[in-house]
Amino acid sequence: MREQSMESQRGRTREAILTAASELIAEGGAGAMTTRAVALRAGVQAPVIYRLFEDKQGLVRAVAAHVLATYARSKDVADDDADPISALRVAWQAHIDFGLANGGLYLLMNEPTQASDGAEIDLPAEFPDVLALRVRAIASAGLLAISEERAVGLIRAAGDGAIRALLASTADADHASALSDDMLHAVLARIVANESSVTARPVDALLIQLRAVADDLPGLSPAEQALLREWAARSLNRETTSTRHVTSSSDARP
């Protein structure tokens, strides 16, 4: 019983420290999160922080993981939306809103190099990658024009760029909203298939969809599902390489 009480107290102390550090970053950026300031706000002695997190970099990683976990929960939106494009739009807006409202925390989350030992900040396993799920839903509906990996990369880069640009500017709310909408529109025009899309092979969209739904196909073992995904990916990659080669060759013609 005594051990449980001590562990409970340790958990409450850890939570208080993480909350204090998060608040300091939100108020004054990463530079405001000094060990002394965190200890003062959390109502603990500085040695307690070192016992729980080893050093300041350990605290930085723990805060980032804490923020990521909270952030992942807050992004759990539009799961039941029948339109995967609308679901992606909602998730995009939630991402932009969070980044602009929590600039210091957002930058910390996306700057793993802040840890001097190069250790990565891990997102708890129970919180899946929302963006990947949204893109998978678009692919499963047969609406994705490029591979899931490329689509996720484009969306992530566009969102990060939009947030950083707006954090560095003095744009008003209307301008920020317009920039965010324009960025998403440009990305969707690239990744979503439509009747006017020109692709190297019409079958590419089917291969992308097949990869997305392989895990749900009945009668196949996990190994067979994995093999099916691999075959589809290999065919897509071969076509991409071939297309680039043809484009390069044609560009070299006089």
Side-chain angles (χ1 to χ4, degrees):
M1 194 70 176
R2 178 182 172 84
E3 291 182 357
Q4 290 181 343
S5 178
M6 291 178 62
E7 188 61 30
S8 177
Q9 179 60 41
R10 177 187 175 90
R12 289 193 296 270
T13 300
R14 189 176 192 278
E15 184 69 20
I17 292 172
L18 292 176
T19 299
S22 299
E23 291 174 351
L24 287 167
I25 295 169
E27 295 167 5
M33 195 200 73
T34 65
T35 302
R36 180 178 179 181
V38 172
L40 183 62
R41 179 165 297 201
V44 301
Q45 297 296 318
V48 175
I49 296 177
Y50 293 108
R51 283 201 300 271
L52 290 174
F53 303 100
E54 295 186 358
D55 55 23
K56 183 178 178 180
Q57 295 303 334
L59 176 59
V60 168
R61 291 194 295 273
V63 170
H66 174 73
V67 173
L68 283 168
T70 303
Y71 177 38
R73 293 190 191 98
S74 72
K75 289 206 320 182
D76 187 18
V77 293
D79 284 330
D80 298 326
D81 199 315
D83 180 2
I85 305 298
S86 295
L88 177 61
R89 289 182 183 277
V90 173
W92 167 277
Q93 192 58 54
H95 180 66
I96 297 296
D97 290 344
F98 175 88
L100 297 183
N102 304 274
L105 293 175
Y106 176 84
L107 294 175
L108 175 63
M109 288 166 50
N110 290 277
E111 293 292 347
T113 54
Q114 295 230 18
S116 60
D117 58 5
E120 294 183 0
I121 299 168
D122 297 322
L123 179 65
E126 62 266 29
F127 303 115
D129 188 327
V130 175
L131 175 55
L133 292 178
R134 296 293 183 265
V135 171
R136 172 62 56 85
I138 295 173
S140 297
L143 301 174
L144 198 62
I146 61 177
S147 71
E148 291 179 49
E149 294 81 1
R150 289 182 63 194
V152 168
L154 283 172
I155 297 169
R156 181 168 286 134
D160 185 59
I163 291 172
R164 289 176 184 275
L166 290 171
L167 286 175
S169 75
T170 57
D172 56 26
D174 289 340
H175 177 76
S177 178
L179 176 64
S180 172
D181 290 345
D182 288 346
M183 185 73 80
L184 179 59
H185 180 75
V187 172
L188 289 176
R190 178 67 184 90
I191 71 172
V192 176
N194 56 60
E195 294 181 359
S196 63
S197 295
V198 179
T199 59
R201 294 186 307 179
V203 76
D204 282 356
L206 295 177
L207 289 170
I208 292 170
Q209 185 177 20
L210 180 60
R211 285 187 69 201
V213 302
D215 289 344
D216 299 322
L217 294 178
L220 297 180
S221 68
E224 290 170 331
Q225 292 170 342
L227 186 59
L228 189 58
R229 290 195 304 273
E230 180 183 345
W231 283 343
R234 191 183 305 169
S235 183
L236 284 167
N237 289 337
R238 180 181 295 114
E239 179 60 22
T240 300
T241 302
S242 175
T243 301
R244 288 176 178 172
H245 176 72
V246 171
T247 302
S248 176
S249 299
S250 63
D251 290 344
R253 294 173 187 170

